[in-house]
Amino acid sequence: MLELVSLKKKFGSFTAVDGISMRVDAGQIYGFLGPNGAGKTTTIKMIATLLKPSSGRVLINGIDAHRSPHDAKQYLSYVPDQPFLYDKLTGLEYLLFVARIYKMREAESSEALKDVAETFEVKPWLNRRIEDYSQGMRQRLVLAAAMLHKPKLIVIDEPMVGLDPKGAETFKTQMKLTAAKGAAILMTTHQLSLATEICTRLGIIKAGRLVFESPVEQFSGDGVEKLEKKYLELTS
Amino acid sequence: MLRDLVRTKLHLLYLEGGERVSRHLARSVFSILTFTLFAYLTYLIVEIATKYLLVQAKIGLFLYHRLLALALFVFFAIISIANILVAFATIFRNNEAEFLHTLPLKPVEIFTSKFLDSFLYSSALMIIAILAAVSGYAGYFGNLAVAITGIVFSILPLILSAACVGAIVLLVVLKIAQRVSIRTAVLTVTLLYAASIYSYVVLNNPFTLFTNVMKYYPHIDRYLGVLDPKLDYFAPSFWSANFFYFATTGNFVGAAASALIVCTVAFLLFLVMIRLADKYYEEAYWTAKHKLFQSKIKDGSEPFSQPDRAPPKGISLMKRDLLVFVREPSQTFHFAVLMVLIGIFLLNLFEMKIYLPDTFIVSSAFTLIYAFNSFLVVSLSVRFVYPMLSLEGETMWLLRSSPLSLKKVFYSKLVPSIIFLTAVGAILGYAAPSPFKNFRGLITASVIYGSLGGVVFPSFVMMFGGVFANYKENNPVRISSSHGATVSLLVSIGVMVILSSVVFNQTFDYFASRGNIPVDVSRAWILGLVGVVCFGLARLFGVRALKVDM
């Protein structure tokens, strides 16, 4: 579903992402790990077409996201690390706006909207303006919007920011369910326990290069400790 | 503490407003050239106009300085109104103000620092304009000392007074809003403010003063203060103009007395403002933050809902923009004020009758009305169209990661603006000829030229909005008073002058023939072509701005 081919991004003389090649298949939850400044967010922004690669390709369902962005983004949902939203809209207006952008029909969007609003427990807040939302409630709304059009590829940057334990639990369950239905998920996180709990494959990036990739099964049993050890060994 | 705050603000102002040359060399050079050209043109216009009024029209020094007083009054009113809006955005609805409230600072210290911030942020263009104008004045009279002392002791205190009046009005509105609804408070204060400005202009009819002064011809250079309406004494702009009259005629005692009055008024207004801020700023801040804009829980019909099939994406984008616009008080308030001003101007145009025997002057009068109409369209464009791209701001991640053409996003902003401003231009164009005899023959041409301005100016301004897009600032008032917005205003005024000269050229023969030769509109295609070019440039730079790396 997602394939990165020799993806590179330079900012002047600084190389933020240095020739990353990787793939995330349907049904897979890929945990993209790495220290601060390693290039995770830059990579994700190139996938979401917010940044133009210096070289290399981003293929979403086989479509080059930077050559045919409109076609490629039909399959994509992106959740940024800091979800800036339209503060003057209500939650409901925001979700409906997203539905319209993805050309969802009324009947289809009504059902999907009800579904995601209940799942992420934003229903009581839907008629309030987003400017009244807490950080966690904003994160829930963005996740709900991301799931609304049933995307084939979900790219999430730091999903747990601001979520309370219940919200975090809902998120984990939903990710597993969505992947089970055939979606590919790429997420960055600093929480190694989250990575071992829900991901099926892990990648570690350091100084813009992918230095490690493996199925999560390698860290079965006392997974978090093993992963932590490996992570520190590769990134320090 | 206050000194440190102000120093930090000045440093930030340099970084934000001045834009570091190493990073934005091309834009900075262009901006500097535009500001220099604007200052030079202002200098020339004032020098030439002074020469024309005193040498050719022979209106005399007294009347000349009364016209100056009227111009300074308009200047005073514009600054105070602009400062109400900018001060609201800077002192009350601002992330930095919120941060400053978490520090061990007195509310009045926060207010003073933010007041200076808004004052310096919004008055830069006005200060440049007035410095250039005073230089033009000094250039004609050949008296640099008058210019320098005039700027220091007459003009700068006048600007400070205007800014203080703006901030005082704002504090009063927010104080009243604690007891009544914000709508009632704004409406009451707006009506009172508009009524006082209107009364001043009506009671200071320059035509009446002109007739009265001319009775004393040829002694019209003498000080004929006895003819001044007494209401004038309450306007600081009157004393500011009096300073220049006395200084130019060598009456230094009169000049010193006038300067003393202007400086004292500025000082007293500043003290009143600080006193009011000391007493009310804290509660006004919380009123602005919580009470005024508390969102209501919405129910009933849903703006994005459509039965059966999804609406075009462009329509959804426009609905979103409209909702965000109407729910932002600083946008709706300023929009309402400008619409009321346009309404008053239209009423005056329909009532006004101009009988001038000289073809050159009557053509100039019509061109001036056209130019003022265009200026209104330019002002609306700079205030509301310029910030549109920047306002996508940090929420742009959603549009950029969605299957959405960025051209569509761009068109959803520019096309409705053009439609609205073309309608405004057409209405103003329809009204423009009404003060003139044989006006009916002018209407078609005037509507065509007015409407074309509604295409040219928003497109042109949108182009600058793309070039100077700043996605980190989310306050529309601050975006539309930024460095880039000022440049777009100045360049638009330049285009406006060129278009006005085309209009003058096209209508001169009509007035010369007393309305017997129809107005030649054959060269309207020039304006049409300018419109198409501006639209193309706006699309090029606008879409490019939306594609920038985030």
Side-chain angles (χ1 to χ4, degrees):
Chain A
M1 179 52 62
L2 171 69
E3 190 177 358
L4 307 183
V5 184
S6 307
L7 198 63
K8 191 178 253 191
K9 180 68 187 177
K10 291 180 97 172
F11 296 101
S13 59
F14 173 68
T15 305
V17 175
D18 196 3
I20 285 185
S21 293
M22 58 181 263
R23 53 184 296 144
V24 184
D25 295 322
Q28 206 170 53
I29 304 180
Y30 192 111
F32 199 40
L33 314 175
N36 294 328
K40 299 187 296 296
T41 298
T42 305
T43 306
I44 276 194
K45 281 187 170 181
M46 284 191 280
I47 297 168
T49 71
L50 298 178
L51 277 176
K52 210 173 167 164
S54 303
S55 63
R57 295 200 298 162
V58 174
L59 300 171
I60 298 174
N61 206 19
I63 304 164
D64 190 319
H66 289 273
R67 285 200 180 158
S68 308
H70 190 274
D71 295 336
K73 287 187 282 189
Q74 303 279 357
Y75 304 100
L76 172 74
S77 251
Y78 164 63
V79 179
D81 53 347
Q82 284 182 305
F84 290 100
L85 299 168
Y86 307 113
D87 282 354
K88 297 291 172 194
L89 298 188
T90 65
L92 182 63
E93 286 165 350
Y94 176 75
L95 289 176
L96 282 165
F97 175 66
V98 173
R100 298 293 168 258
I101 294 297
Y102 284 90
K103 281 265 170 200
M104 292 175 79
R105 290 176 183 280
E106 180 67 15
E108 187 191 0
S109 62
S110 296
E111 203 174 313
L113 199 146
K114 202 176 149 200
D115 207 24
V116 295
E118 275 170 9
T119 303
F120 288 96
E121 295 176 18
V122 288
K123 211 172 169 186
W125 286 79
L126 281 183
N127 286 324
R128 280 189 172 272
R129 284 193 201 165
I130 295 170
E131 63 193 352
D132 293 341
Y133 284 29
S134 66
Q135 164 81 8
M137 197 50 73
R138 281 169 184 254
Q139 187 72 0
R140 284 170 185 237
L141 185 69
V142 174
L143 288 167
M147 308 296 283
L148 193 63
H149 65 104
K150 299 186 172 54
K152 298 272 181 218
L153 171 66
I154 304 172
V155 177
I156 312 177
D157 202 358
E158 299 291 349
M160 309 300 262
V161 177
L163 288 181
D164 59 19
K166 197 172 178 208
E169 198 51 44
T170 307
F171 167 77
K172 287 187 262 186
T173 311
Q174 283 309 309
M175 288 302 107
K176 284 179 194 166
L177 279 173
T178 309
K181 285 180 190 165
I185 299 169
L186 171 71
M187 66 172 199
T188 71
T189 182
H190 288 296
Q191 295 183 22
L192 301 183
S193 57
L194 175 72
T196 51
E197 191 181 342
I198 69 165
C199 293
T200 53
R201 192 170 177 80
L202 299 173
I204 297 176
I205 180 176
K206 185 193 172 189
R209 287 167 185 266
L210 194 63
V211 291
F212 176 80
E213 233 190 342
S214 133
V216 81
E217 285 81 30
Q218 189 182 328
F219 303 100
S220 54
D222 51 349
V224 184
E225 285 80 15
K226 264 190 191 172
L227 178 59
E228 191 176 353
K229 197 175 164 198
K230 185 78 184 170
Y231 179 90
L232 291 172
E233 178 191 313
L234 286 167
T235 57
S236 53
Chain B
M1 190 68 97
L2 182 62
R3 192 188 300 163
D4 293 337
L5 252 175
V6 171
R7 195 181 296 152
T8 312
K9 289 306 307 171
L10 286 172
H11 179 64
L12 286 172
L13 191 78
Y14 164 74
L15 288 177
E16 284 173 15
E19 295 184 322
R20 276 179 285 186
V21 176
S22 58
R23 278 193 191 172
H24 308 287
L25 189 65
R27 282 193 295 181
S28 298
V29 169
F30 180 73
S31 306
I32 291 165
L33 283 176
T34 310
F35 278 105
T36 311
L37 188 67
F38 169 72
Y40 182 64
L41 285 176
T42 308
Y43 170 90
L44 275 186
I45 288 168
V46 171
E47 195 182 26
I48 291 168
T50 306
K51 192 172 179 183
Y52 174 79
L53 290 169
L54 293 176
V55 178
Q56 281 188 273
K58 293 188 174 65
I59 64 166
L61 279 177
F62 180 74
L63 259 183
Y64 172 83
H65 284 89
R66 286 300 169 263
L67 287 181
L68 180 65
L70 195 63
L72 287 175
F73 180 79
V74 172
F75 171 72
F76 181 88
I78 290 173
I79 291 192
S80 59
I81 291 173
N83 206 58
I84 294 174
L85 294 157
V86 181
F88 182 70
T90 311
I91 305 174
F92 294 93
R93 301 277 289 175
N94 179 276
N95 287 341
E96 197 207 350
E98 192 171 324
F99 167 69
L100 292 176
H101 271 84
T102 65
L103 302 179
L105 289 167
K106 286 181 191 164
V108 71
E109 287 178 327
I110 300 172
F111 178 90
T112 312
S113 120
K114 297 302 292 175
F115 170 78
L116 291 175
D117 181 6
S118 80
F119 177 63
L120 292 170
Y121 195 85
S122 64
S123 308
L125 178 64
M126 284 294 181
I127 290 172
I128 289 175
I130 206 77
L131 290 184
V134 173
S135 304
Y137 174 94
Y140 175 79
F141 289 104
N143 197 339
L144 190 63
V146 169
I148 294 170
T149 48
I151 286 165
V152 176
F153 296 109
S154 168
I155 298 296
L156 289 181
L158 184 73
I159 296 175
L160 181 65
S161 302
C164 290
V165 167
I168 289 169
V169 169
L170 186 60
L171 281 167
V172 169
V173 168
L174 291 171
K175 177 69 189 161
I176 298 172
Q178 288 166 8
R179 293 174 187 276
V180 296
S181 75
I182 182 65
R183 281 174 206 278
T184 316
V186 169
L187 194 69
T188 311
V189 176
T190 307
L191 286 176
L192 282 173
Y193 199 71
S196 57
I197 291 177
Y198 186 74
S199 319
Y200 180 85
V201 174
V202 167
L203 292 170
N204 283 279
N205 189 335
F207 291 107
T208 315
L209 188 66
F210 185 85
T211 313
N212 292 338
V213 170
M214 281 304 160
K215 286 177 189 163
Y216 292 86
Y217 193 83
H219 308 290
I220 50 172
D221 282 346
R222 282 169 48 188
Y223 189 74
L224 300 165
V226 68
L227 302 174
D228 287 323
K230 297 293 170 274
L231 193 70
D232 258 356
Y233 300 156
F234 295 99
S237 48
F238 171 82
W239 298 104
S240 198
N242 252 9
F243 167 86
F244 285 99
Y245 174 84
F246 288 129
T248 300
T249 53
N251 180 349
F252 297 113
V253 175
S258 302
L260 187 66
I261 292 171
V262 181
C263 292
T264 309
V265 167
F267 181 68
L268 288 176
L269 282 171
F270 187 77
L271 280 187
V272 169
M273 180 188 74
I274 293 297
R275 180 86 186 106
L276 282 175
D278 194 24
K279 229 174 159 185
Y280 300 128
Y281 173 57
E282 190 65 0
E283 44 183 307
Y285 175 80
W286 293 111
T287 306
K289 193 167 168 56
H290 293 303
K291 189 186 165 192
L292 303 189
F293 309 111
Q294 215 167 32
S295 60
K296 293 178 180 66
I297 295 176
K298 236 184 122 296
D299 52 20
S301 68
E302 174 46 53
F304 291 114
S305 66
Q306 283 280 325
D308 302 332
R309 65 193 186 90
K313 292 176 186 179
I315 299 291
S316 293
L317 287 165
M318 283 187 246
K319 279 183 178 174
R320 178 208 58 169
D321 282 345
L322 185 67
L323 279 177
V324 171
F325 180 87
V326 298
R327 289 176 186 171
E328 176 56 53
S330 60
Q331 296 277 64
T332 42
F333 174 64
H334 202 182
F335 184 74
V337 167
L338 283 169
M339 286 299 115
V340 168
L341 288 177
I342 288 176
I344 293 172
F345 178 62
L346 280 172
L347 285 177
N348 281 333
L349 273 183
F350 284 123
E351 281 176 15
M352 195 190 287
K353 289 287 165 257
I354 297 176
Y355 302 105
L356 292 166
D358 186 89
T359 305
F360 179 81
I361 296 178
V362 81
S363 295
S364 302
F366 177 72
T367 308
L368 268 178
I369 293 175
Y370 170 79
F372 189 72
N373 287 352
S374 302
F375 182 72
L376 289 174
V377 175
V378 168
S379 304
L380 284 167
S381 302
V382 173
R383 175 62 186 83
F384 299 108
V385 180
Y386 178 87
M388 281 180 153
L389 292 169
S390 294
L391 282 175
E392 278 299 336
E394 294 181 296
T395 56
M396 204 148 69
W397 64 268
L398 175 68
L399 302 185
R400 287 280 295 276
S401 63
S402 309
L404 188 65
S405 157
L406 292 176
K407 285 175 198 153
K408 202 168 269 180
V409 177
F410 172 78
Y411 288 132
S412 73
K413 295 177 187 304
L414 184 57
V415 173
S417 310
I418 285 181
I419 292 170
F420 175 74
L421 289 169
T422 302
V424 171
I427 294 167
L428 288 166
Y430 179 79
S434 60
F436 300 90
K437 238 180 171 182
N438 307 317
F439 68 89
R440 288 189 192 283
L442 273 172
I443 288 177
T444 309
S446 183
V447 168
I448 290 173
Y449 292 133
S451 311
L452 285 170
V455 179
V456 172
F457 296 120
S459 305
F460 202 63
V461 165
M462 181 69 106
M463 177 187 82
F464 281 98
V467 172
F468 289 95
N470 173 9
Y471 297 116
K472 298 289 175 196
E473 176 65 71
N474 59 7
N475 189 310
V477 176
R478 283 181 73 87
I479 297 171
S480 59
S481 14
S482 65
H483 191 69
T486 309
V487 172
S488 83
L489 174 70
L490 296 181
V491 181
S492 300
I493 290 173
V495 174
M496 190 185 90
V497 171
I498 295 167
L499 296 186
S500 300
S501 68
V502 174
V503 169
F504 178 83
N505 184 270
Q506 297 287 283
T507 51
F508 187 83
D509 290 342
Y510 177 82
F511 286 112
S513 71
R514 305 269 181 259
N516 293 322
I517 299 172
V519 183
D520 177 16
V521 288
S522 60
R523 277 185 231 161
W525 69 267
I526 298 175
L527 271 76
L529 185 65
V530 173
V532 171
V533 171
C534 288
F535 189 88
L537 287 171
R539 184 180 175 282
L540 178 72
F541 287 100
V543 175
R544 190 180 285 178
L546 289 171
K547 283 182 178 170
V548 72
D549 276 357
M550 287 188 74

